[in-house]
Amino acid sequence: MQPGLTHLSHCLLWLLFLQTSADLPMCKESDYHFEYTECDVLGSRWRVAVPNKADTCTGLPDPVKGTQCTFSCNEGEYLDMQSQQCQKCAAGTYSLGTSVAFDEWDSLPSGFVTHGVITNEGYDQTDCSNSTWTPKGDYIASNRDECTATLSYAVNLKQAGTLSFEYFYPDNSIYFEFFVQNDQCQSTDSNSRWMRISENSWSKYTVELNKGNNVLYWRTIAFSLQSSTVKPVLLRNIQISGVAYTSECFHCKPGTHSANPGSARCTPCPADTYSNKGATTCRECEEDKYAVIGSASCKPRPACTSSDYFYTHTPCDSEGKTQLMYKWIEPKICTETVEGALKLPASGEKQTCPPCNPGFFVSNSSSCEPCPSGSFSNGTVCTECPAGTEPVVGFEYKWWNTMPANMKSSVFSQVFSDSDRRTAWEVAGEYIYTTPGDQDTDYLMLTLSVPGYRLPQSMVKDAERSELSRITFVFETICTADCKLYFLAGYNQWNNDVVEHWNGRNQKQSYSYLIQSNSTVSFTWTFKRTEDYGTERNYSADVAKIYSIVITNAIGGVATKCRRCALTSVKAGSACVLCPPGHYMVNGTGACQKCPPNTFIRTDQPVGEAACIQCGPNTKTNKAYTACLSDCMLDVRTSKGGRLHYDFSPLANVTSVHSSPRFTNKGLRYFNRFNLGLCGTEGRMPASCVDNVTESGREVKGYVCQSTVVPSDIRSQSLVSSQPFLIGDSLIGVTTETKLGNISSPKWFPAALGLPDVIFYYRSSDATQACKQGRLATVRMRCDPAVTTKDHIMLPSNCSEGTCDGCTFHFLWQSQHACPLCTKNHYREIVSACIQGIQRTTYVWQQPVQCYGGQPLPAQKVSACVTLDFWLKFGVSTGAVAAVLLISLICYFWKKTRKLQYKYSRLIMTSGGRECELPTADSCAIMEGEDAEDDLMDLTKKSFFTKIKSFSRERTSDGFDSVPLKSSSSRQRLVEEDSDDEIEQITLPRHRGSVQM
């Protein structure tokens, strides 16, 4: 895109001049194009028509108001200047929107400048004019000599944007830096301008760019005098966003395509396909031709040779068998059908798998697995080290049936960008070797990663005279050309230096390298068949073999033997095999003795009975007998003989509390943040504090920790944490006592409820110059049912930082979850009056409430009841019934009495007045002329009032009753009838005279 006119006035004058040329024809749309003028201070611009050729036509369109300078289109779109609207790119084209990309390096793109200069330490007569960055098709490569090569690109951003690029930087023999200079020629921070090593693959780098002018610099400085041993730095896929709008779409380059409209980038064609410029699809190659990924054309397939396949050993199957197998190099480009082509050799017969490497054992799946910690093996079975010994750990590889887990094989090719997916080194049973490559100039790399090194405990005393570690390997090179084998040591993520290299053919030999620092984290073997870039696959038979690799004292390694420990110097973190959990080693012997119940073993002194430490109150030892834990449950006996049950589980999660803000001398605000992990089982999540400022990323974990926090926008974070340290990493005990051992909890203001506070005591073993005995902490849990939040934590009012001496920290945690669990003793019942036959019983908490959770309040109970009106009615009814029964009884007994009186009077009359003499038996008959039926009274058939009347009529005028006399038999019968309580009919004759005897 051509630059716009500098000023709108100049453009208008020029257009006015053209319009005065009456001899010129009127301009057509094909005779001119549109451009934007420079943006003014308000961010505005004009769209003007500019002729493609001067003085060819007249009548150009008038200038119109343009889009704002901040206007841009999205990826896959372009700005149509006619309508000033964004349109999608057609298929076969792409657009990055406000970005520009450089992915073709057949030549140096426009705007890039490269030059080489002599370093300050070099000689003036040294010619560095040819020491520049060189385009290599898919990438651009740096120099490999002692000169300084610089690649620069100047860009003006209309808005803030980003720069991203991919680089390959495998050799620390070259200093590689990248930096940006702005309008004021100010460069980026020098500490971040040095690029990191990328040993095996391409790395991506991204940086933010400011609005305005930016000058990008890539600079390499080689320091090795042997240029052939230096690997160049490679760059590719440079992309810059925020440049400006784009008014056109770009055609896909050959070997790529875009099938859909609105594409932001083009997709490489798959293998065995190709495409031309601006393609929407990829075309298939003919059967006798091939193409690699991203090819613009197809090539004839060559006849297959021995360089097109390699051999390997298959992993052990379930029967413990393996076999030699041949495989084509992928992607396969040769053909087996032409004359003279080789066929893929048949696989060999199955054979018994070789033994596992020392320190490994054969698993059930016939694979080799590392022995557990504290055991060793010779490659067959694992054996535990005896008590009082320690495993000698490291790595020893001498059987190569599979690639070890900590080793990686990769190919770096300076021709194909997708070379990192091919195999470089392959296992072959007794050795590992380099496979044939696509190019003889490829770097075939094998990398072994090691986390670190540690001396055996028995050698700690003589650490100054003992070697930290040593790596020894046996190798061989078979070459017909100028091949080279490099051995590199990666000291850290920045440095990867060549330790030694061998040229040409080398017989089987051993090489040993002494490791003196824990910063040596990787080792790389790199094989290159030739330096002649004109050859392709002429030396595929050249090979490098490694038979064995041994590293001593490697962290994370396996053991091949055990060594007797130094019993008097066993420290924390030692690899010495100690007694079983819960046991200690008797001094001077290898015997193990069990510790008392509920104790843990001191990690700093596991020898002797003093190593058994009793757990504090309300804590229990863990399964490993290394610490005491609290399950957040607690029972406390009260002074009145009762018990309080606590459950702190809702407060077990990590909780944070901040101190009051403080300020530095320059006014920077900061505060201390405490993270608390109160209690929990062995699987609890510990509290952690981190340092997110430096690259170290240091992190501490425990019960209580502290870090300094500063509000900041660094790294897109609202808070920056630094200086983390542990306050408590072990739990001493949980109790209501205000002192435990040498730790005292301060007297806070008394609790409002009068309940005892539960105090957690912690200790940290991290000793400092100020805290020689380590740090201490107490967390006082106080019941407050009104506090619903879980993080209501207070610091001492007289020590706003949580501590007054810098060593002992105190916290007060008020929460409803710090209250004892509710029981039936914490509530009472209220019984309501009986209303309409219903009575309610309601349960309420005792006031003030001194519990939370636990047993909930019982639900309201409803029961049936009887009202006062019912009882009144019931009493009246019952009284009436009782009165009737009483009257009936009275009548009954009155009648009985009357009968008895009658009988008694008869007996008296018949006795003749003689005392104690019974009347003689006699009989009476009914007098003649008397009708017995006239005077029969059936007392059982008459009512009460009728009986009274009858009684009054039966009396004579002289007041005597007329009583019939019967015989003794009749009297006897009458007595029997009376005894049976049966009332018979009695005949009373109506004689007025006396009774005749």
Side-chain angles (χ1 to χ4, degrees):
M1 182 172 21
Q2 298 180 5
L5 297 179
T6 306
H7 299 289
L8 178 62
S9 58
H10 293 172
C11 181
L12 294 176
L13 291 174
W14 181 68
L15 292 174
L16 188 60
F17 172 77
L18 289 178
Q19 291 177 353
T20 57
S21 302
D23 298 336
L24 297 178
M26 297 297 294
C27 290
K28 301 178 181 179
E29 291 186 2
S30 58
D31 295 333
Y32 61 88
H33 63 276
F34 293 106
E35 289 186 5
Y36 282 126
T37 61
E38 293 289 341
C39 296
D40 55 22
V41 294
L42 299 178
S44 301
R45 55 188 175 185
W46 291 80
R47 189 199 70 177
V48 297
V50 178
N52 297 328
K53 294 183 180 180
D55 300 333
T56 56
C57 64
T58 185
L60 293 174
D62 295 332
V64 297
K65 187 75 173 181
T67 61
Q68 290 293 322
C69 293
T70 57
F71 177 83
S72 62
C73 295
N74 297 324
E75 291 184 346
E77 298 179 343
Y78 72 99
L79 180 63
D80 183 3
M81 295 295 290
Q82 182 69 34
S83 61
Q84 298 195 75
Q85 298 292 328
C86 293
Q87 303 291 337
K88 285 187 176 181
C89 292
T93 63
Y94 72 98
S95 168
L96 298 175
T98 61
S99 302
V100 292
F102 305 95
D103 51 8
E104 298 183 29
W105 298 93
D106 296 326
S107 59
L108 202 63
S110 176
F112 282 88
V113 178
T114 179
H115 61 277
V117 296
I118 190 172
T119 59
N120 295 333
E121 293 80 8
Y123 296 99
D124 293 339
Q125 61 269 25
T126 302
D127 184 11
C128 293
S129 58
N130 294 326
S131 298
T132 58
W133 290 77
T134 306
K136 296 289 187 179
D138 291 331
Y139 57 87
I140 183 172
S142 71
N143 65 317
R144 297 190 298 164
D145 54 23
E146 64 274 15
C147 296
T148 300
T150 302
L151 177 69
S152 62
Y153 181 75
V155 60
N156 183 275
L157 299 186
K158 304 301 182 183
Q159 56 187 356
T162 59
L163 163 71
S164 64
F165 60 88
E166 296 180 0
Y167 70 93
F168 184 78
Y169 177 29
D171 194 345
N172 200 51
S173 297
I174 295 181
Y175 290 139
F176 176 38
E177 62 175 341
F178 168 77
F179 59 95
V180 182
Q181 287 187 342
N182 55 20
D183 290 333
Q184 290 77 32
C185 295
Q186 296 175 345
S187 60
T188 56
D189 187 4
S190 59
N191 293 330
S192 61
R193 66 197 300 173
W194 299 105
M195 307 303 294
R196 297 186 178 185
I197 289 290
S198 57
E199 295 181 352
N200 302 317
S201 60
W202 291 86
S203 300
K204 188 172 182 179
Y205 183 81
T206 303
V207 65
E208 301 291 332
L209 298 179
N210 297 325
K211 180 181 178 180
N213 292 322
N214 294 268
V215 183
L216 317 178
Y217 290 93
W218 296 266
R219 185 163 61 187
T220 57
I221 306 172
F223 62 90
S224 176
L225 298 180
Q226 298 179 358
S227 60
S228 60
T229 62
V230 177
K231 301 181 183 66
V233 177
L234 309 182
L235 290 178
R236 71 178 184 184
N237 294 339
I238 300 176
Q239 182 172 332
I240 307 171
S241 65
V243 176
Y245 66 92
T246 177
S247 59
E248 60 179 335
C249 297
F250 302 96
H251 293 282
C252 293
K253 68 177 183 178
T256 63
H257 72 288
S258 64
N260 300 320
S263 298
R265 54 191 54 84
C266 299
T267 305
C269 290
D272 295 332
T273 62
Y274 73 99
S275 68
N276 298 320
K277 184 176 182 180
T280 58
T281 59
C282 296
R283 301 180 181 179
E284 295 282 345
C285 293
E286 299 176 1
E287 292 185 0
D288 59 344
K289 294 183 179 181
Y290 77 97
V292 297
I293 296 177
S295 297
S297 62
C298 297
K299 299 179 181 179
R301 291 184 179 273
C304 291
T305 64
S306 59
S307 300
D308 293 304
Y309 61 83
F310 64 94
Y311 59 93
T312 182
H313 276 253
T314 61
C316 295
D317 57 18
S318 58
E319 299 177 353
K321 300 290 185 179
T322 183
Q323 66 179 147
L324 185 68
M325 178 179 290
Y326 294 88
K327 294 182 178 181
W328 294 111
I329 296 176
E330 296 296 338
K332 181 184 176 184
I333 62 174
C334 66
T335 178
E336 306 170 58
T337 58
V338 298
E339 183 179 357
L342 294 181
K343 301 289 185 179
L344 188 67
S347 299
E349 296 182 357
K350 287 190 174 183
Q351 300 177 352
T352 302
C353 284
C356 296
N357 285 312
F360 292 80
F361 71 98
V362 181
S363 65
N364 295 333
S365 60
S366 298
S367 61
C368 293
E369 301 291 339
C371 287
S373 177
S375 61
F376 68 99
S377 80
N378 59 359
T380 54
V381 295
C382 299
T383 304
E384 292 186 0
C385 291
T389 63
E390 61 181 334
V392 181
V393 298
F395 295 106
E396 182 177 353
Y397 301 117
K398 61 180 181 181
W399 299 107
W400 303 91
N401 198 56
T402 58
M403 184 72 72
N406 58 345
M407 299 184 73
K408 180 181 179 182
S409 168
S410 60
V411 177
F412 173 70
S413 174
Q414 300 187 50
V415 177
F416 299 106
S417 60
D418 60 335
S419 59
D420 53 1
R421 65 184 178 87
R422 289 179 285 120
T423 302
W425 293 72
E426 189 61 54
V427 295
E430 297 182 353
Y431 56 85
I432 185 172
Y433 76 103
T434 55
T435 61
D438 291 333
Q439 299 290 326
D440 290 339
T441 55
D442 291 346
Y443 289 97
L444 310 179
M445 296 181 293
L446 177 68
T447 302
L448 170 63
S449 300
V450 182
Y453 314 92
R454 181 173 56 200
L455 284 173
Q457 190 62 44
S458 57
M459 302 172 61
V460 171
K461 286 187 175 181
D462 300 327
E464 296 182 356
R465 292 179 294 177
S466 303
E467 62 182 33
L468 178 62
S469 180
R470 181 181 294 270
I471 180 171
T472 303
F473 59 92
V474 178
F475 72 98
E476 178 186 16
T477 58
I478 303 174
C479 301
T480 58
D482 56 339
C483 67
K484 286 183 174 62
L485 176 65
Y486 302 93
F487 175 62
L488 300 89
Y491 295 107
N492 50 43
Q493 60 184 355
W494 304 93
N495 300 321
N496 189 11
D497 290 347
V498 176
V499 175
E500 188 60 81
H501 72 279
W502 297 266
N503 298 328
R505 185 182 183 90
N506 292 273
Q507 296 181 351
K508 188 176 181 180
Q509 58 185 283
S510 175
Y511 178 79
S512 183
Y513 173 68
L514 181 63
I515 302 169
Q516 299 178 342
S517 173
N518 257 319
S519 61
T520 307
V521 294
S522 66
F523 302 94
T524 303
W525 293 265
T526 301
F527 181 71
K528 189 177 184 180
R529 291 185 167 88
T530 182
E531 295 289 342
D532 187 1
Y533 285 91
T535 61
E536 291 188 357
R537 305 178 67 176
N538 298 330
Y539 305 104
S540 296
D542 292 1
V543 64
K545 298 180 180 180
I546 296 179
Y547 293 90
S548 65
I549 301 175
V550 179
I551 305 179
T552 61
N553 303 333
I555 297 176
V558 293
T560 59
K561 60 181 180 179
C562 296
R563 180 188 287 113
R564 174 64 62 177
C565 297
L567 297 180
T568 58
S569 61
V570 178
K571 301 296 182 182
S574 170
C576 181
V577 178
L578 302 177
C579 294
H583 293 70
Y584 65 92
M585 187 182 301
V586 180
N587 286 324
T589 67
C592 297
Q593 186 71 29
K594 185 174 178 59
C595 286
N598 203 31
T599 59
F600 68 97
I601 305 296
R602 288 179 55 183
T603 56
D604 59 341
Q605 186 62 39
V607 179
E609 189 174 1
C612 303
I613 306 300
Q614 187 69 36
C615 287
N618 298 300
T619 62
K620 296 181 180 179
T621 182
N622 60 358
K623 295 180 180 180
Y625 293 89
T626 56
C628 296
L629 304 175
S630 170
D631 60 356
C632 302
M633 308 296 292
L634 182 67
D635 286 342
V636 176
R637 185 180 298 275
T638 62
S639 58
K640 298 181 180 180
R643 300 190 70 87
L644 299 177
H645 307 279
Y646 291 86
D647 183 8
F648 298 103
S649 299
L651 305 178
N653 294 332
V654 178
T655 307
S656 299
V657 58
H658 296 84
S659 67
S660 300
R662 305 185 68 182
F663 299 88
T664 63
N665 295 333
K666 296 184 178 181
L668 177 64
R669 184 170 65 95
Y670 72 95
F671 52 88
N672 294 327
R673 178 168 61 188
F674 301 92
N675 290 337
L676 304 178
L678 187 66
C679 55
T681 58
E682 295 190 50
R684 69 180 182 89
M685 181 67 67
S688 64
C689 299
V690 298
D691 179 0
N692 60 6
V693 177
T694 63
E695 293 291 339
S696 64
R698 180 171 174 264
E699 182 179 13
V700 296
K701 294 183 179 181
Y703 284 98
V704 187
C705 62
Q706 175 190 318
S707 60
T708 301
V709 178
V710 179
S712 175
D713 293 331
I714 298 177
R715 301 188 179 186
S716 301
Q717 299 180 15
S718 59
L719 294 176
V720 173
S721 177
S722 64
Q723 301 177 3
F725 63 85
L726 272 175
I727 297 176
D729 56 8
S730 60
L731 178 61
I732 305 302
V734 183
T735 179
T736 56
E737 300 295 331
T738 59
K739 186 175 182 180
L740 182 62
N742 60 343
I743 311 176
S744 298
S745 178
K747 295 182 180 180
W748 298 77
F749 54 89
L753 299 178
L755 289 172
D757 293 334
V758 178
I759 306 174
F760 286 76
Y761 292 87
Y762 304 96
R763 181 190 301 275
S764 173
S765 57
D766 291 344
T768 62
Q769 187 66 26
C771 307
K772 293 181 170 38
Q773 303 300 324
R775 297 183 178 89
L776 308 172
T778 66
V779 180
R780 183 181 288 260
M781 309 300 298
R782 175 164 295 176
C783 171
D784 191 345
V787 178
T788 58
T789 60
K790 295 183 179 181
D791 56 353
H792 189 68
I793 305 176
M794 300 174 59
L795 301 175
S797 57
N798 56 335
C799 304
S800 59
E801 300 303 316
T803 178
C804 297
D805 57 3
C807 298
T808 305
F809 295 77
H810 304 285
F811 306 89
L812 174 63
W813 196 337
Q814 294 177 289
S815 173
Q816 60 185 2
H817 299 287
C819 298
L821 297 177
C822 295
T823 63
K824 62 181 181 180
N825 297 328
H826 290 95
Y827 61 83
R828 60 188 178 90
E829 63 180 20
I830 300 176
V831 181
S832 66
C834 184
I835 301 175
Q836 295 182 354
I838 297 177
Q839 190 174 45
R840 304 177 186 272
T841 302
T842 306
Y843 299 90
V844 296
W845 294 113
Q846 298 280 5
Q847 295 298 327
V849 180
Q850 296 183 345
C851 66
Y852 183 80
Q855 182 176 348
L857 277 176
Q860 189 182 58
K861 186 167 60 177
V862 179
S863 59
C865 61
V866 181
T867 61
L868 181 60
D869 294 340
F870 172 81
W871 286 114
L872 182 59
K873 294 178 182 178
F874 179 77
V876 172
S877 301
T878 304
V881 173
V884 172
L885 291 176
L886 182 60
I887 294 173
S888 301
L889 289 174
I890 292 173
C891 294
Y892 172 76
F893 286 110
W894 175 79
K895 185 179 73 169
K896 295 289 289 184
T897 303
R898 181 175 174 274
K899 289 175 65 178
L900 291 175
Q901 288 177 349
Y902 171 72
K903 292 178 182 180
Y904 178 74
S905 63
R906 287 181 61 191
L907 289 175
I908 293 301
M909 292 176 65
T910 58
S911 65
R914 290 173 294 185
E915 295 181 359
C916 300
E917 182 178 353
L918 295 173
T920 61
D922 197 3
S923 62
C924 291
I926 300 176
M927 298 300 291
E928 186 179 355
E930 293 181 351
D931 189 0
E933 298 296 333
D934 295 338
D935 296 318
L936 288 177
M937 292 189 302
D938 190 358
L939 297 177
T940 61
K941 300 294 182 177
K942 297 179 181 181
S943 64
F944 176 74
F945 297 102
T946 306
K947 291 178 181 180
I948 296 299
K949 288 181 178 181
S950 299
F951 177 74
S952 62
R953 287 197 303 265
E954 288 174 357
R955 303 186 67 89
T956 59
S957 59
D958 55 4
F960 293 96
D961 294 334
S962 177
V963 180
L965 297 176
K966 296 183 181 180
S967 65
S968 61
S969 60
S970 298
R971 289 196 301 270
Q972 181 65 27
R973 181 172 58 84
L974 181 60
V975 172
E976 291 177 355
E977 290 174 355
D978 290 338
S979 64
D980 295 332
D981 295 331
E982 296 180 358
I983 302 176
E984 299 292 342
Q985 295 180 353
I986 301 176
T987 303
L988 299 178
R990 299 178 180 177
H991 294 285
R992 299 181 182 273
S994 60
V995 179
Q996 296 183 3
M997 304 298 291

